Amino acid sequence: MKTRFARAAVLAALGMAAIHAGPALAQTYSAEIRRTSFGVPHIKAANYGSLGYGVGYAFAQDNFCMIADEFVTVRGERSRHFGESGTTPYGRNNLVSDFYYALMNGDAAPLTAGLNSMSADMRAAFRGWVAGYNRYLRDTGVANLPAPCKDAAWVRPIDDVDMMRLVRRYLLEASTNNFMEGMVAAKPPTAAGAGAAQKLGPKSDAGIPGFDQDFWPEWRYNIGSNALALGRDATDNGKGLLLGNPHFPWSGTLRFYQFHITIPNEIDVMGGSLSGFPLVNIGFNKDVAWSHTNDVAWHFTIYRLKLDPANPTKYVYDGQVRDMTTKTVTVQVRNADGTLSPKSNTFYLSHFGPLTTSTALPIPWTSQYAFAIRETNMDNWRIGDQWLAINKAASTAEIKKALQSIVGIPWVNTTAADKDGNAFYGDISTTPNLSRERQSLCTPDVTFAVVFSLKGPAVLDGSRSDCEWEVDDAAPQAGLLPGARMPYIERTDFAQNSNDSYWLANPAVSSYRWDIPATVGVVPDIQNMRTRIGVLQAQARLAGTDGLSGNRFSLANLQQIALSNRSLTADLFMADVAALCALPAASGVQAECGALSAWDRKYDLASRGAHLFREFFNTARNIASVYAVPFNYLDPLNTPRGFAVSNATVATALVAALKAAGDKIRAAGLAIDAPLGTVQFTLRGATPIPVHGGEGDYLGIYNKLSSVLVPNVGYVITTGTSYIQTVQFTDSGPNAQGFLTYSNSTNPASPHFADQTQRFSAKQWIAFPFTESAITSDPAYSTRTVSE
C-alpha cells in the first residue's frame, strides 16, 4: 500500500510539473464536467479515454466512499480491514465474500485479457474512469475524504485489474455470486467439517428433502424493473415514448448514477448506470430511448456429477474417471488487536465450473453425487461494447441488431422506443444453448424435472458429453444461444416487461417459439402483479377506459400512470375482504376490517391502512386453495383473483391472517390505520423522507418499493424505483423527465444527498437538460475542466 501511495505521489508531482512547465508532458486526459440542477454531471470530451476520465472523476466527487468500499470487496480484502465477522453492504459475510472473490478475481491475467479483448474505445473509457477516480483521490487526499472513509487505511488508488474485478462482479450478479456461500462450504463428504454445511433442510410441500420452494421466487424478487415502450399508434404525437423504471437497491454499488456523456459528432447520451460504468446503461439519445428489466432467463446451469465410489473428488464423464481440480485461496483476517492472520479455503472445480452446495436446495455433496455450476457470464467481456453500441444506436432496429450480433447483455431484457414511433422488446442476453429436447433427456430425475427446474435453472446430467450446452457457430461464445434465436417483438402500439418472461410483452402477438429453450423462460406461466397491471393499464389507456381523457399516451398521463400507486391486488380482492369481514368468524378483527374499509386502495402518502393490507395479503396469498378463481393460462391477466371466502377453512385462515397482520403492526408500535407517509420512508442521514409506492409483485403496484419493518420506527425502503425516466420524442428532440429517487450522491455532506428524493416524495417530476442550450441555461449550471 505504501508503494502505491508513493507512486501516486510521484505521479501527482509530475502532473504539477506539467501544469507549471507547459508542454513538457503530453495531456493524456481532458474532460469538461458541467453540472446542472441536482448535481447531474454532463461530461464533454474529445475521445473515449477522456470521457471515462470525466465520468470517473465526477462519480468519485459524489460517491467515493461507497465505490472504494466495493473495491475492497472485489479484491477479497474485507476481512483484512473490517474483520471476518462483518458483512458486505449486501449482507454477505466478509470472510465468505473474501474467499469467493479471491477465487473469482485473484488471477489478474484473465481480467487483463478481458479488458484487452474490448474495442479500443471501451478500453480507453474504462482506463479513463480509473484515471479519473485516482485523480480525485490525489486532488482530495485521504485526510479530506468524506466522513465514511476519511483517513481510512482501506482507501487506495485503483488500477485496470480492479476495474475488471468490479465488472466481473456485475457480470455474475444474477448467477454465480448467489452461490458464494455454497461454493465455500462445498467439501468432500469425508472431509472434516463438511457435514453441517451440507445437511439437507426440511422437506418442502412437494416432499423433496432439502428443497425450499421459496428459494427461486425470492432469488428473482429482490431486483426487478418495469419498462413500457410506446409506438406511433399509442402516443398523442405519433412518436415514441418510453417509461423506464428499474427497481434496484437504494444502497451500495447497485445504485444508479445519473450523468450525461458527449463526444461531439460521436456520442451524446444521458441516463443512469451502475457504479463504475463509464457509459450509460439505461437512458436516451436524440433518436432512441431504452430501459432494461431483469429477465427470467437463466444464465447458468447446474450439473450433477456422478462420483467415483472410491473417491468423492473424482467424477465419471463418458465412462472415464476425471479428477476434480482444487484451488486454495488465502486471505488476511484482521484480529481484535489489529494484527493480521491468514485464513484459507479450498475450492473444488470440475470442467463445468466450481462445485457448490446449498441448505435450501437438494444439491448436497454425497458419496454418489456432487453439483457444479456452469456460468455464461464469467468471461463475457463483450459487455462494454454491447452498451457502447446501444448508446450510439439511432433506432430500435439498431438496438436489436446490436443485441443480436454482440450478445453481451448479461441478465436483463431490453425495451426501447424511437423518434419514428417504433417500440421494441427483447430478451437477448447470455443464455445457455440448451434445446428443450436436450434438457428433457438430460435432467437426471423427477426431483429436478418436476420441482427444481420448473422454477429454477436446468439441472443436467454431468456424466455425459451429450448433455453439454450445444454449440452454434452463430453465437459469439461457445455454448450460448445465438442472439437471432432469442425472443423479441417489434410493434407500433406497445411493448412492455415487468420481470416476467417474453410471453406477454404484448398480448396481441405471440413471441413463443418451440426453438426458444425453456431456460429463457417458462411459457405459459402465472404472471406477477406488476406485469398484469402494466399490461392492463396500457390496454385501458388505448381503449380510453381508464378514466383519463382520450385514448393515447402523453408524457403527462404516462407519468400519472407510473406513479398512480394503485393496487391491482386491492381491486381484485377487496370485495371479498368485505364479505369476509361480514362473517361471524370475523368478529375479532373488526378494527382491521374498519381500517381496510376506509382505505383508498392506493399506496400514496395519504393512504390510510395500506400497510395493513400489505401484511395481510402477504400471508393470505400462501393459504392453500385461497383463490376463488385460480390461474388460467387462457386468461393470465385476470387470474388468479378473489378469495374463496365461501370455503370455511379458507375463511378461517384469512381471518387469522388479518388478525396476525394487525398484531404485527401494533407490536411494531404503529397504528393499523396510519397514513402511509407516516410509516414508510427512507432515511437521509437522520432525516426521514416519506416514500409512496409499495410491494409490486404481489400487491400489483407499478411503482414498486420494497421495505423492511423496523420495530418502533416503521417501514424503511431497501430497494425499488430508482432511476426512473419518461422520454418523449418530439419534433425538437427528446423531452425527458424523471428522478433518481435516492439522489446522485452518497456523501451525507453533499447538497445532492437527498434533493431528488424529496422531489420524488412529492411526485414533482424533474426535467433532464439534454440540449446544449438547456444545459448552459440551467440555473445551477457550473463548469470545470480536469486534465492530466
Side-chain angles (χ1 to χ4, degrees), residues 618-773:
N618 192 32
T619 300
R621 65 194 178 111
N622 295 311
I623 296 171
S625 304
V626 72
Y627 297 124
V629 182
F631 173 67
N632 181 349
Y633 74 92
L634 297 176
D635 190 18
L637 296 177
N638 298 300
T639 60
R641 67 177 183 271
F643 286 135
V645 294
S646 61
N647 181 317
T649 301
V650 170
T652 299
L654 286 170
V655 169
L658 185 53
K659 182 179 185 304
D663 290 347
K664 178 179 179 179
I665 291 170
R666 293 187 190 94
L670 308 177
I672 61 173
D673 61 348
L676 185 68
T678 66
V679 298
Q680 180 173 278
F681 51 85
T682 184
L683 288 171
R684 284 294 172 265
T687 304
I689 299 176
V691 177
H692 48 83
E695 301 287 352
D697 290 27
Y698 61 87
L699 294 178
I701 305 163
Y702 211 45
N703 176 28
K704 176 183 175 179
L705 272 302
S706 297
S707 58
V708 294
L709 178 56
V710 179
N712 301 312
V713 176
Y715 292 87
V716 180
I717 300 299
T718 56
T719 66
T721 296
S722 49
Y723 170 72
I724 180 170
Q725 63 174 17
T726 52
V727 184
Q728 176 190 47
F729 288 97
T730 71
D731 289 337
S732 57
N735 175 18
Q737 298 179 13
F739 309 94
L740 186 64
T741 56
Y742 33 66
S743 304
N744 223 22
S745 177
T746 52
N747 178 5
S750 169
H752 310 301
F753 182 62
D755 50 357
Q756 291 203 54
T757 311
Q758 293 165 336
R759 288 288 291 264
F760 174 69
S761 175
K763 296 187 183 179
Q764 296 175 346
W765 291 77
I766 298 168
F768 296 164
F770 180 69
T771 64
E772 191 69 16
S773 60

Side-chain angles (χ1 to χ4, degrees), residues 376-496:
T376 64
N377 282 310
M378 186 68 173
D379 295 307
N380 175 21
W381 304 112
R382 301 178 304 282
I383 182 174
D385 286 293
Q386 181 70 87
W387 263 290
L388 176 60
I390 293 172
N391 279 212
K392 295 177 66 175
S395 65
T396 59
E398 288 191 11
I399 285 181
K400 181 188 77 170
K401 181 179 178 181
L403 294 172
Q404 290 181 332
S405 61
I406 299 173
V407 195
I409 292 288
W411 34 263
V412 291
N413 306 283
T414 303
T415 305
D418 66 23
K419 66 180 187 303
D420 296 321
N422 300 299
F424 167 84
Y425 158 81
D427 187 359
I428 304 173
S429 57
T430 55
T431 305
N433 187 8
L434 186 68
S435 68
R436 293 171 185 268
E437 179 183 19
R438 181 167 293 204
Q439 181 174 347
S440 177
L441 292 173
C442 289
T443 300
D445 59 42
V446 68
T447 300
F448 304 111
V450 177
V451 180
F452 195 99
S453 294
L454 284 179
K455 293 295 183 181
V459 179
L460 305 173
D461 187 346
S463 69
R464 297 156 46 195
S465 61
D466 59 4
C467 294
E468 297 271 8
W469 300 348
E470 298 163 70
V471 175
D472 188 320
D473 291 340
Q477 178 180 320
L480 290 189
L481 188 66
R485 288 176 50 200
M486 298 202 71
Y488 69 89
I489 63 170
E490 295 172 294
R491 301 288 296 177
T492 55
D493 52 357
F494 75 89
Q496 69 80 39

Side-chain angles (χ1 to χ4, degrees), residues 56 61 73 105 180 233 235 328 487 532 634 640 668 762 782:
Q61 287 180 306
T73 299
N105 285 339
M180 67 172 65
D233 296 331
T235 62
T328 299
R532 291 169 64 179
L634 297 176
S782 66

Side-chain angles (χ1 to χ4, degrees), residues 569-616:
T569 305
D571 293 343
L572 295 176
F573 290 89
M574 276 301 296
D576 291 318
V577 172
L580 177 75
C581 286
L583 296 176
S587 61
V589 290
Q590 288 305 298
E592 287 82 356
C593 288
L596 291 181
S597 176
W599 175 42
D600 64 4
R601 303 187 185 184
K602 293 184 177 182
Y603 281 75
D604 281 331
L605 297 182
S607 298
R608 289 182 172 271
H611 55 305
L612 175 63
F613 186 76
R614 163 193 166 159
E615 297 292 354
F616 163 63

Side-chain angles (χ1 to χ4, degrees), residues 486-612:
M486 298 202 71
Y488 69 89
I489 63 170
E490 295 172 294
R491 301 288 296 177
T492 55
D493 52 357
F494 75 89
Q496 69 80 39
N497 185 266
S498 290
N499 308 123
D500 278 311
S501 76
Y502 57 89
W503 180 31
L504 296 179
N506 184 316
V509 61
S510 174
S511 55
Y512 174 79
R513 300 195 316 266
W514 176 253
D515 67 327
I516 299 175
T519 52
V520 180
V522 176
V523 174
D525 194 17
I526 190 170
Q527 304 292 286
N528 78 61
M529 282 290 191
R530 280 184 296 110
T531 295
R532 291 169 64 179
I533 193 172
V535 174
L536 291 170
Q537 286 179 150
Q539 291 176 330
R541 176 84 293 269
L542 298 181
T545 58
D546 60 357
L548 303 176
S549 62
N551 64 347
R552 291 290 184 269
F553 278 92
S554 64
L555 184 67
N557 63 40
L558 178 62
Q559 293 174 348
Q560 186 174 350
I561 288 169
L563 299 184
S564 72
N565 294 320
R566 165 197 171 196
S567 169
L568 176 63
T569 305
D571 293 343
L572 295 176
F573 290 89
M574 276 301 296
D576 291 318
V577 172
L580 177 75
C581 286
L583 296 176
S587 61
V589 290
Q590 288 305 298
E592 287 82 356
C593 288
L596 291 181
S597 176
W599 175 42
D600 64 4
R601 303 187 185 184
K602 293 184 177 182
Y603 281 75
D604 281 331
L605 297 182
S607 298
R608 289 182 172 271
H611 55 305
L612 175 63

